[in-house]
Amino acid sequence: MELNIALLPGDGIGPEVIEQAVKVSNAIAKKFDHKINWSHALTGAAAIDAVGDPYPDETHEICLKSDAILFGAIGHPRFDNDPSAKVRPEQGLLKMRKELGLFANVRPTFTFPSLIDKSPLKKERIDGTDLIFLRELTGGIYFGERGRKDNGNTAYDTCTYSRHEIKRLAIKGFEMAMKRSKKLCCVDKANVLESSRLWRETVQSLEKDYPEVEVSYEFVDAVAMRLVQWPNSYDVLITENLFGDILTDEASVISGSMGLMPSASVGAKTSLYEPIHGSYPQAAGKNIANPLATILSAAMMFEDAFNLKNESKLIRKVVDKSLEKSIVTEDLANGEKCYKTSEVGDWLVKEILK
Ligand code: IPM
Ligand code: MN
């Protein structure tokens, strides 16, 4: 099979972790006799420096022409500490999500048996955790009207959702629940927010189409609490953009390191695969970042974008093996010998080609 993949390394540790995912993907292609055509494109601070736009038109064209997109990370401290910056790397990410119509962000949280003691939570609390957040990604407060008034002394951001936006995400949630344990949780703040009341109303109206799915409705503050008390009581959770942003960071540490969890952003036209961690500028260029979240994102890509299940399974298998054998970067090493980002990639490639 011929796979056309857009490659967007981005900023910070993005290029280093992407390099490992490319090595692993190329090894998979060799083993299973596929041909991958990688098309490199600029995003984030790297693109601002090169062409003054964090998501240039040329990058958009490359993404549209590809079957899938593999993305590293975006962000640079130079912009974080300058609230007056007119162009910011993150704007590139938001523009990309919007223009590519990537409305559903799939963020799983699962545990690795060999890492169960690395979690900040007690083993008995997290054992068996395997949940998926479906975060709405192109609406809500991220894209609502915002501005200043009163001579700049008052600022506002607005959260707007249409029934259509909620429905298309909720349908994905119901479909995902049908393939898993048939449990769906709608996370909102319907006791306060009108937009949340529309979420609840819309999800409720779909219940009759999926009679086998057991739906619960929970407030976001309560979910934030239960997520660390009983994460294994959840399966599929759907929520709006900002709640999903916050809760998925919280959920990601359950596995033991933020450097482990992959994600997919799915739209009608194309889909994008990326680690859920950020650009981690303190580690950039040091060859110490954990590449597994990006490598597992590539595994998600093989399965979801190309329906190549065995390829995906093999990546997951060698990743599990690397963890069992402690071929890990420093975030997971605990005083034991740790490996460099590129060494973890090399080890996985060797295992795949065995
Ligand atoms: C994420 C990130 C982004 C977001 C930032 C970088 C704009 O935190 O993908 O979760 O808030 O969506
Ligand atoms: Mn986030």
Side-chain angles (χ1 to χ4, degrees), residues 114-118 322-340 343:
S114 53
L115 293 181
I116 210 95
D117 296 322
K118 297 277 193 300
S322 74
L323 293 172
E324 277 154 27
K325 293 194 169 301
S326 289
I327 315 293
V328 292
T329 42
E330 65 177 31
D331 52 312
L332 293 174
N334 241 0
E336 303 146 26
K337 169 172 170 38
C338 70
Y339 290 75
K340 295 286 180 195
E343 288 172 336

Coordinates of all heavy atoms in Angstrom, one line a residue, residues 114-118 322-340 343:
S114 N 3.6 -2.8 33.2 CA 5.0 -2.6 33.7 C 5.3 -1.2 34.3 O 6.3 -1.0 34.9 CB 6.0 -2.9 32.6 OG 5.7 -2.1 31.4
L115 N 4.4 -0.3 34.1 CA 4.6 1.1 34.6 C 3.7 1.4 35.8 O 3.6 2.6 36.2 CB 4.4 2.1 33.5 CG 5.4 2.1 32.4 CD1 5.1 3.2 31.4 CD2 6.8 2.2 32.9
I116 N 2.9 0.5 36.3 CA 1.8 0.8 37.2 C 2.4 1.5 38.4 O 1.7 2.4 39.0 CB 1.0 -0.5 37.5 CG1 -0.4 -0.2 37.9 CG2 1.7 -1.4 38.6 CD1 -1.3 -0.3 36.7
D117 N 3.6 1.2 38.8 CA 4.1 1.9 40.0 C 4.6 3.3 39.7 O 5.0 4.1 40.6 CB 5.3 1.1 40.6 CG 4.7 -0.2 41.1 OD1 3.6 -0.2 41.7 OD2 5.4 -1.2 41.0
K118 N 4.7 3.7 38.4 CA 5.2 5.1 38.1 C 4.0 6.1 38.2 O 4.3 7.3 38.2 CB 5.7 5.1 36.6 CG 6.9 4.2 36.4 CD 8.2 4.9 36.8 CE 9.4 4.3 36.3 NZ 9.7 2.9 36.8
S322 N 9.6 -2.8 25.1 CA 10.6 -1.8 25.6 C 10.4 -1.4 27.0 O 11.3 -1.2 27.8 CB 10.6 -0.6 24.6 OG 9.5 0.3 24.8
L323 N 9.1 -1.2 27.4 CA 8.8 -0.8 28.7 C 9.1 -1.9 29.7 O 9.7 -1.7 30.8 CB 7.3 -0.4 28.9 CG 6.9 0.9 28.1 CD1 5.4 1.1 28.1 CD2 7.6 2.1 28.6
E324 N 8.8 -3.2 29.3 CA 9.1 -4.3 30.2 C 10.6 -4.4 30.4 O 11.0 -4.8 31.5 CB 8.5 -5.6 29.6 CG 7.1 -5.8 29.9 CD 6.4 -6.7 28.8 OE1 7.1 -7.5 28.2 OE2 5.2 -6.5 28.6
K325 N 11.3 -4.1 29.4 CA 12.8 -4.3 29.5 C 13.5 -3.0 29.9 O 14.7 -2.9 29.9 CB 13.4 -4.7 28.1 CG 12.9 -6.1 27.7 CD 13.8 -6.5 26.5 CE 13.6 -8.0 26.2 NZ 13.9 -8.9 27.2
S326 N 12.7 -2.0 30.3 CA 13.2 -0.7 30.8 C 14.1 0.0 29.8 O 15.1 0.6 30.2 CB 13.9 -0.9 32.1 OG 13.0 -1.1 33.1
I327 N 13.8 -0.1 28.5 CA 14.5 0.7 27.5 C 13.7 2.0 27.5 O 12.9 2.2 26.6 CB 14.4 0.0 26.1 CG1 14.7 -1.5 26.2 CG2 15.4 0.7 25.1 CD1 16.2 -1.8 26.6
V328 N 14.0 2.8 28.4 CA 13.1 4.0 28.6 C 13.9 5.3 28.8 O 15.1 5.3 29.2 CB 12.2 3.9 29.9 CG1 11.1 2.8 29.6 CG2 13.0 3.6 31.1
T329 N 13.3 6.4 28.4 CA 13.9 7.7 28.6 C 13.9 8.1 30.1 O 13.2 7.5 30.9 CB 13.2 8.8 27.7 OG1 11.8 8.5 27.8 CG2 13.7 8.7 26.3
E330 N 14.5 9.2 30.4 CA 14.7 9.5 31.9 C 13.4 9.8 32.7 O 13.4 9.6 33.9 CB 15.7 10.7 32.0 CG 15.1 12.0 31.5 CD 16.1 13.2 31.8 OE1 17.3 13.0 31.8 OE2 15.6 14.3 31.9
D331 N 12.3 10.2 32.0 CA 11.1 10.4 32.7 C 10.5 9.2 33.3 O 9.7 9.2 34.3 CB 10.0 11.0 31.8 CG 9.9 10.2 30.5 OD1 10.9 9.9 29.9 OD2 8.7 9.9 30.1
L332 N 11.0 8.0 32.8 CA 10.4 6.7 33.3 C 11.5 5.9 34.1 O 11.3 4.8 34.5 CB 9.9 5.9 32.2 CG 8.6 6.4 31.5 CD1 8.2 5.6 30.3 CD2 7.4 6.5 32.5
A333 N 12.7 6.5 34.2 CA 13.9 5.6 34.5 C 14.0 5.4 36.0 O 14.5 4.3 36.4 CB 15.1 6.2 34.0
N334 N 13.7 6.3 36.9 CA 13.7 6.1 38.3 C 15.1 5.7 38.8 O 15.3 4.7 39.6 CB 12.8 5.0 38.7 CG 11.7 5.5 39.7 OD1 11.8 6.7 40.0 ND2 10.8 4.6 40.1
G335 N 16.2 6.4 38.4 CA 17.5 6.0 38.9 C 18.2 4.9 38.2 O 19.4 4.7 38.3
E336 N 17.4 4.1 37.4 CA 18.0 3.0 36.6 C 18.7 3.7 35.4 O 18.5 4.8 35.2 CB 16.9 2.1 36.1 CG 16.0 1.5 37.2 CD 14.6 1.2 36.7 OE1 14.4 1.1 35.5 OE2 13.7 1.3 37.6
K337 N 19.3 2.8 34.6 CA 20.0 3.4 33.4 C 18.9 3.9 32.5 O 17.8 3.3 32.3 CB 20.7 2.2 32.7 CG 21.2 2.7 31.3 CD 22.1 1.7 30.6 CE 22.4 1.9 29.2 NZ 22.5 3.3 28.7
C338 N 19.1 5.1 32.0 CA 18.1 5.6 31.0 C 18.7 5.7 29.6 O 19.9 5.8 29.5 CB 17.5 6.9 31.5 SG 18.5 8.3 31.4
Y339 N 17.8 5.7 28.7 CA 18.2 5.8 27.3 C 17.9 7.1 26.6 O 17.0 7.8 27.1 CB 17.5 4.7 26.5 CG 18.0 3.3 26.9 CD1 17.6 2.7 28.1 CD2 18.9 2.6 26.0 CE1 18.1 1.5 28.5 CE2 19.4 1.3 26.4 CZ 19.0 0.8 27.6 OH 19.5 -0.4 28.0
K340 N 18.6 7.5 25.6 CA 18.3 8.7 24.8 C 17.1 8.5 24.0 O 16.7 7.3 23.6 CB 19.5 9.0 23.9 CG 20.8 9.3 24.7 CD 20.6 10.7 25.3 CE 21.9 11.1 26.1 NZ 21.6 12.2 27.0
E343 N 17.9 6.5 21.0 CA 18.2 5.1 21.4 C 17.0 4.3 21.5 O 16.9 3.1 21.1 CB 19.1 5.0 22.6 CG 20.5 5.5 22.5 CD 21.3 5.6 23.8 OE1 20.7 5.7 24.9 OE2 22.5 5.5 23.7

